[in-house]
Amino acid sequence: MDFSLFFFSKKTLDCLLFSFFSPSLQYCLDHVQTLISSKYFRSQIISLLTAEFEKCLPVYASGDAESTQKLSAEEQAEVRGLLFSGLCRCLVEQDASGRVAEILHQLLQESSGAEGLLMASQIAFDILQMENQSFQQALLDHPLLRAPEAPAGDPENSGESGERSTANGDAPAPDAEKKEENKEEKKEETKAEKKDPEEETEAEKKKKLLRSILSGEAQTAFSNQFLQRENHTDLMLLDLYKRSIDTRSSLLHHGVVLSHMLMQAGTSCDVFLRCNLDWMARANNWARFSATASLGVIHKGHVRDSMKLLRTYLPASASSAASSSPYSEGGAFYALGLISANQPSTSVRDYLLEQLQVAGTASEPKQQGCCLGLGLVCMGNAEDSEVYEALKQVLFLDSAVAGEAAALGVGLLLLGSSNAAAVDELLAYAQDTQHEKIRRACGIAVALLMFKKEQEADALIDQLCKDSDALIRYGGMFTIAMAYCATANSGAIRRLLHVSVSDVSDDVRRAAVIALGFVLCGDRQQLAQILKILSGSFNPHVRYGAALALAVACAGTGQKEVVDLLLPLSSDSTDFVRQGRKAEKEYLSGASPETQKRSRASSSLDKDACTSKGVCVRV
């Protein structure tokens, strides 16, 4: 590719500046983020684009340029919006939260209609779509965008108290004329003070709206409203499932509960569970944990009402470690995290932290629920050292169940931070512990820390992939997946393909194929071409990984080529590969009716064929 296209001569810049400079910059910015694989080179070009946006913005904002005077008001507003949007996109890539806060504050202060507010709101939604939690939190904590504090006292009362102190003091009382003048002045000041709160209220409304967008509350509210309005799930189907399964099978019982969770995700409709409480009570141990946690998926986003929704399952006393149902309480803690995921809630965070300290080592289910919940609530908040120390303390207890959850919680907490000290601690503990669950979770936690770091994670990836421990190499595969997520980086693809056919561990080979789904989730055609070969591998673990990779990258797309790859796997000779057909169900949830009909017909033929041969098909 000829990168000289991104560098313009002065004459070309002047020409673009007065004609179509803003669309050209937007075009360059879009292609820089999609075509250039080197993160270092991409950051250099974004720095140049930022400088050009900064030069161009004052010209269009003031309207002094000759070309801007020829534009209509709507066209000028459109160009100005493109400039602000492009500049903020560049600043987000450079992690310049202070400058973005200044721009948003400037737009909110504009008095010319609602144009500034609309522009600031659109920029806030764009920032939210970039899913940079630490950047969003930095904006929310910035002094210019911070929520206004209530006044310390009433100015009128303070004025009255001042008058009284003067009158009761040793100073002589003023003359009658001076009193009248003072009264008139105070009346005028009082009128002025009464106007200020109205203006501040309008500014507070704008700031409150912007903060609700940046925190994700507005988007979650819109999403929940849409899901509730368009909820057409068939509860009779769940009743049919409930009556059809064997009441003695806990596995099938758990499957119906999870089916209900996926059907009602985000809709806040838990009628089926409330009408079948006796049936729900049959779940035992970890099945009860998952059943309670499923409420968090159903009520996703209802942060303010989360404690009220789960009060039936939460501990009656916050300071009591004893529990009649630790699995239900642990699932409720996890549900709190699912409800508040990616929406920081100080009250939920403090509550879970307190419960984690109260639980101690007496209850592993409660520890696991608290650790996972804290990781979800504080996702990406790498500066929260208190939560990090609490999770690390649970991890070092060397309990297989609680330690696994603590490691995953650390990964979620430090998401994308590339904290070198945390990486060293996780890898060192993974080498020391004898629990396979903890070692595997530590590897995934390290992968989460390297989210979207690309070339910055190469040194760590080399270290993990060359390790003699298969579980460490397993974490290395997911580190590649997270570091190069949605980049379609050729080097990452080459390395994953090499491991998928050469590693001695089936777990590592399966993880390498699954990681391809993350790396190529933005280029589904290339993924389908690669997995078409891997789906025919002699190794069943590779075939299973191919099914999951397709589900990760192509869920809800209804792409015909992918369906053609998934259907043969439903009649695979290996049982756990046929289990990968669950990925097909998730994938077909957004497919066209014709595709779903073809899938059902194919699966019924496969089932009839297997039944005639006396083979038990497990779906």
Side-chain angles (χ1 to χ4, degrees), residues 307 310-311 313-337 346-374 377 386-387 390-391 393-394 397 402:
M307 302 294 291
L310 297 170
R311 68 174 181 269
Y313 307 97
L314 292 172
S317 176
S319 59
S320 176
S323 173
S324 58
S325 180
Y327 293 97
S328 293
E329 293 181 2
F333 296 150
Y334 186 23
L336 282 175
T346 305
S347 59
V348 175
R349 177 253 186 204
D350 294 341
Y351 176 78
L352 290 175
L353 191 60
E354 179 185 0
Q355 289 296 324
L356 180 61
Q357 295 171 353
V358 170
T361 59
S363 177
E364 284 190 340
K366 294 174 69 173
Q367 282 184 316
Q368 185 178 33
C370 289
C371 290
L372 294 174
L374 281 171
V377 172
E386 185 180 4
V387 173
L391 292 174
Q393 184 178 0
V394 176
L397 293 175

Side-chain angles (χ1 to χ4, degrees), residues 37 484 487-496 519 526:
S37 59
Y484 291 96
T487 61
N489 184 275
S490 58
I493 296 171
R494 192 181 306 113
R495 170 172 271 177
L496 291 173
V519 176
Q526 184 180 358

Side-chain angles (χ1 to χ4, degrees), residues 215-234:
S215 63
E217 294 179 5
Q219 187 179 30
T220 303
F222 294 145
S223 177
N224 290 339
Q225 184 181 7
F226 171 80
L227 290 173
Q228 292 172 10
R229 185 176 64 250
E230 301 297 329
N231 182 18
H232 303 300
T233 54
D234 188 0

Side-chain angles (χ1 to χ4, degrees), residues 75-391:
E75 292 174 339
Q76 288 186 20
E78 181 180 358
V79 172
R80 190 162 168 264
L82 289 174
L83 288 173
F84 273 117
S85 176
L87 176 59
C88 289
R89 285 175 60 188
C90 292
L91 293 173
V92 172
E93 293 291 337
Q94 295 177 324
D95 200 22
S97 58
R99 176 62 179 137
V100 175
E102 292 175 1
I103 292 174
L104 294 175
H105 181 71
Q106 174 187 345
L107 292 173
L108 291 180
Q109 295 300 318
E110 292 183 358
S111 58
S112 57
E115 179 185 336
L117 177 60
L118 293 175
M119 204 175 295
S121 301
Q122 183 59 54
I123 292 173
F125 275 115
D126 293 341
I127 293 173
L128 189 66
Q129 290 296 322
M130 296 181 182
E131 297 182 345
N132 190 336
Q133 288 87 354
S134 59
F135 190 88
Q136 293 169 218
Q137 190 61 41
L139 288 177
L140 293 172
D141 294 338
H142 196 277
L144 293 176
L145 301 179
R146 194 175 297 163
E149 298 179 357
D154 191 354
E156 294 182 2
N157 294 336
S158 62
E160 291 177 1
S161 61
E163 286 179 9
R164 290 170 186 168
S165 62
T166 306
N168 296 332
D170 297 333
D175 297 335
E177 295 179 358
K178 291 183 178 180
K179 284 184 178 180
E180 292 178 359
E181 291 178 0
N182 291 337
K183 287 181 180 179
E184 291 178 359
E185 290 178 359
K186 287 175 182 176
K187 286 181 181 179
E188 294 177 358
E189 291 177 359
T190 305
K191 291 180 181 179
E193 288 175 356
K194 288 182 179 179
K195 291 180 181 178
D196 290 338
E198 295 179 359
E199 296 176 359
E200 291 175 1
T201 302
E202 186 66 26
E204 289 174 4
K205 288 181 179 179
K206 293 181 179 180
K207 190 176 292 186
K208 185 178 180 181
L209 175 62
L210 187 66
R211 288 180 61 85
S212 67
I213 297 174
L214 289 173
S215 63
E217 294 179 5
Q219 187 179 30
T220 303
F222 294 145
S223 177
N224 290 339
Q225 184 181 7
F226 171 80
L227 290 173
Q228 292 172 10
R229 185 176 64 250
E230 301 297 329
N231 182 18
H232 303 300
T233 54
D234 188 0
L235 296 180
M236 297 297 294
L237 184 62
L238 289 173
D239 287 330
L240 178 62
Y241 289 162
K242 182 172 71 73
R243 293 193 302 268
S244 301
I245 65 173
D246 186 357
T247 57
R248 296 169 296 178
S249 175
S250 60
L251 182 63
L252 295 177
H253 180 278
H254 188 55
V256 175
V257 173
L258 295 183
S259 298
H260 172 261
M261 176 189 72
L262 295 175
M263 289 175 66
Q264 304 288 6
T267 62
S268 303
C269 180
D270 56 358
V271 177
F272 176 78
L273 296 181
R274 297 187 183 279
C275 293
N276 297 276
L277 293 177
D278 295 337
W279 178 80
M280 279 287 296
R282 297 176 185 173
N284 295 318
N285 300 334
W286 290 107
R288 177 168 293 186
F289 179 96
S290 300
T292 309
S294 68
L295 293 172
V297 179
I298 296 171
H299 296 285
K300 174 74 175 72
H302 295 272
V303 181
R304 295 181 180 178
D305 300 329
S306 58
M307 302 294 291
K308 182 179 179 181
L309 292 168
L310 297 170
R311 68 174 181 269
T312 307
Y313 307 97
L314 292 172
S317 176
S319 59
S320 176
S323 173
S324 58
S325 180
Y327 293 97
S328 293
E329 293 181 2
F333 296 150
Y334 186 23
L336 282 175
L338 291 170
I339 292 174
S340 308
N342 206 17
Q343 294 185 50
S345 174
T346 305
S347 59
V348 175
R349 177 253 186 204
D350 294 341
Y351 176 78
L352 290 175
L353 191 60
E354 179 185 0
Q355 289 296 324
L356 180 61
Q357 295 171 353
V358 170
T361 59
S363 177
E364 284 190 340
K366 294 174 69 173
Q367 282 184 316
Q368 185 178 33
C370 289
C371 290
L372 294 174
L374 281 171
L376 291 169
V377 172
C378 304
M379 185 187 301
N381 189 9
E383 297 179 357
D384 196 338
S385 58
E386 185 180 4
V387 173
Y388 175 66
E389 292 297 330
L391 292 174

Side-chain angles (χ1 to χ4, degrees), residues 50-64:
T50 303
E52 297 303 328
F53 273 118
E54 293 281 10
K55 291 179 184 178
C56 190
L57 188 59
V59 177
Y60 279 90
S62 60
D64 294 336

